[in-house]
Amino acid sequence: MGRFDGRDGPLTVRYEPASVKDLLVEMKDTAELLIDLSYSAVLHGSPTIAHEVVELEHRMDVLQMRARMSLMLAARSPDEAETLAPVLGVVGAADKISDAAGDIAKIVTEEIGLPDAMRGALTEGVETLVRGTVSPGSAYAGRTLKDIDLESKTGVRVIAIRRDDDWILNPGPTTRIEAGDATLLRGPETGVSDVHPTLTGDPFDPDEPPEPAIDDLERAVDSILLMKNLSELAVDLAYGSVLFDNETLAEEVSNLEIEVDALQSRFEAWTLRAAREADDPVSLRGLIHLGVATEEISDAALEITEGVMRDIGVHPVVEMAVQESDEIITRTVIAEGSDLDGTRIADGIPATDISTSVIAIRRPDEGWLVGHDIDTTLRAGDAVISKGTRTSAEEFEALAA
């Protein structure tokens, strides 16, 4: 079976025995990394990160084709076909997310471009992400991430590694960095400026972002940044709803998709108004491109939840994936007078002794609070989306009740 993938020739994908569960987990991790990298490529104007998006998009094409083959062979009865149908939808939605991420990266690879003022405003709301190749003389080469201990010392995380044509997603403490590895680093700019030279042997010299000059453009930027955060959250919750057969999480994905649609309308209005004042209105084309692709990601997230919302049930291969997952996503409403009512969170971590991270809050009178820098005080009525171990999730639920 062959298909053209945009490289020098057709990509041949043949059936290989593979666990559907493992393929689904890999597709989930790849989709989330694709979103992360594509936005970072645009926000930092980085052709090297955009290239990694293209490489990952090719990888996703292979994964989704192999997953479809395995799912077709797994359906041996009408009942199994019924429970596998939503899984097939998950595979298709992951491919749509991959395509949308590729479209975002095209803003860089095809030099569609963004207004400089817009990029300057956007980069203030995100951590720095850079790609660096490990030099043979690096002090990190040949050592594990636990031994290097980057995150606790510098705040910088290695979010992925490409070794030749193989990817290591979600590298852990025992992952060893080797010379020649293409590593993706995320963290505060001060930390990255320390780590990058040690890792690559090259200095880290970020560009100074220009100041936004058009008020309506600033409003468009605020809208697209919130759309980005909400779409990323929607994908995270959508996979969580499927893995844990959780209709509550699926409903939150629907709420997020409605919010992103509303933001899309406002974003288009601000962009059109900004065009009146821009020296070169054509320079806003990349901004429109970004908005369309972002909205497509939230639509794909909603497709992932279809089986859960229709109460079709979870196929055993998904149940197996859940059983092996120690980290889960939950939605918890803070009750009046509970132990968490009035608790301050900083950096997404509740001020308690349990290992649960708050990744988003939906507040009745304010809407969604989301991002890597959530810093607020929990209130009664807050719907808290958190990630943590099963044990900590149960403790968090008890504190909130």
Side-chain angles (χ1 to χ4, degrees):
M1 176 178 296
R3 59 178 293 187
F4 187 78
D5 73 343
R7 292 184 174 184
D8 294 334
L11 172 69
T12 300
V13 182
R14 292 186 174 87
Y15 172 73
E16 295 178 6
S19 162
V20 175
K21 176 204 68 174
D22 291 343
L23 286 169
L24 286 175
V25 171
E26 192 170 357
M27 290 186 77
K28 170 186 177 294
D29 291 342
T30 302
E32 291 175 343
L33 182 58
L34 269 165
I35 296 171
D36 204 4
L37 295 188
S38 62
Y39 283 113
S40 293
V42 170
L43 303 189
H44 301 294
S46 171
T48 56
I49 295 178
H51 171 73
E52 297 301 340
V53 173
V54 174
E55 292 296 318
L56 266 179
E57 195 178 1
H58 295 321
R59 177 187 180 87
M60 181 67 92
D61 287 342
V62 174
L63 287 174
Q64 69 96 9
M65 187 65 73
R66 286 180 176 160
R68 290 180 189 277
M69 293 175 181
S70 297
L71 286 168
M72 290 173 68
L73 289 171
R76 295 183 293 266
S77 68
D79 287 341
E80 286 197 349
E82 183 178 291
T83 55
L84 279 171
V87 183
L88 200 58
V90 172
V91 172
D95 196 39
K96 290 181 180 180
I97 291 171
S98 172
D99 290 343
D103 286 342
I104 292 172
K106 286 178 183 176
I107 295 173
V108 176
T109 59
E110 297 185 3
E111 299 183 356
I112 297 172
L114 290 173
D116 288 339
M118 196 213 78
R119 183 177 287 117
L122 277 173
T123 52
E124 294 176 4
V126 296
E127 292 179 295
T128 299
L129 189 149
V130 297
R131 173 193 179 278
T133 301
V134 182
S135 68
S138 171
Y140 301 145
R143 297 170 62 189
T144 64
L145 293 179
K146 181 179 180 181
D147 181 35
I148 298 169
D149 198 20
L150 282 182
E151 189 165 0
S152 64
K153 292 179 180 177
T154 66
V156 176
R157 307 182 299 283
V158 179
I159 62 173
I161 299 170
R162 181 165 63 83
R163 184 169 295 160
D164 297 323
D165 290 331
D166 295 325
W167 282 86
I168 302 173
L169 306 177
N170 297 323
T174 60
T175 302
R176 191 177 302 276
I177 292 179
E178 304 291 353
D181 284 352
T183 60
L184 296 163
L185 309 174
R186 176 180 287 289
E189 186 174 297
T190 53
V192 172
S193 64
D194 291 336
V195 172
H196 189 270
T198 306
L199 183 82
T200 67
D202 298 323
F204 176 67
D205 188 21
D207 295 329
E208 285 294 325
E211 290 295 322
I214 302 173
D215 289 342
D216 287 331
L217 186 56
E218 286 192 71
R219 296 185 182 99
V221 166
D222 290 341
S223 297
I224 195 67
L225 186 57
L226 183 53
M227 285 173 65
K228 167 192 174 292
N229 288 337
L230 294 183
S231 294
E232 287 178 327
L233 177 61
V235 172
D236 209 2
L237 296 189
Y239 279 114
S241 73
V242 173
L243 289 176
F244 309 113
D245 194 19
N246 189 319
E247 189 174 341
T248 302
L249 291 182
E251 289 173 352
E252 290 296 356
V253 175
S254 179
N255 291 332
L256 284 165
E257 195 272 337
I258 292 171
E259 180 69 16
V260 170
D261 282 350
L263 281 168
Q264 169 79 354
S265 297
R266 281 179 290 198
F267 160 75
E268 289 175 349
W270 292 127
T271 303
L272 290 172
R273 289 182 180 179
R276 294 181 305 183
E277 302 178 52
D279 294 333
D280 179 15
V282 176
S283 67
L284 300 179
R285 189 164 67 98
L287 185 56
I288 296 172
H289 200 84
L290 184 61
V292 171
T294 302
E295 200 267 339
E296 287 174 354
I297 290 172
S298 70
D299 288 345
L302 189 60
E303 287 185 30
I304 291 173
T305 67
E306 184 177 12
V308 178
M309 295 299 289
R310 293 181 183 275
D311 198 24
I312 293 177
V314 177
H315 191 273
V317 296
V318 179
E319 289 182 340
M320 290 166 59
V322 175
Q323 290 166 3
E324 293 187 11
S325 173
D326 185 49
E327 189 175 67
I328 64 172
I329 298 174
T330 56
R331 174 188 178 276
T332 307
V333 176
I334 307 300
E336 186 80 38
S338 73
D339 290 342
L340 290 181
D341 186 2
T343 297
R344 182 176 178 78
I345 59 172
D347 301 325
I349 307 297
T352 65
D353 294 330
I354 60 177
S355 55
T356 295
S357 298
V358 173
I359 58 178
I361 298 170
R362 184 158 62 84
R363 183 160 286 166
D365 56 343
E366 294 182 31
W368 286 95
L369 307 175
V370 60
H372 69 275
D373 56 352
I374 295 177
D375 185 3
T376 187
T377 299
L378 296 176
R379 304 177 190 168
D382 284 352
V384 179
I385 308 298
S386 60
K387 182 183 291 188
T389 63
R390 295 174 185 277
T391 301
S392 66
E394 293 171 358
E395 294 175 355
F396 190 81
E397 184 74 33
L399 287 171

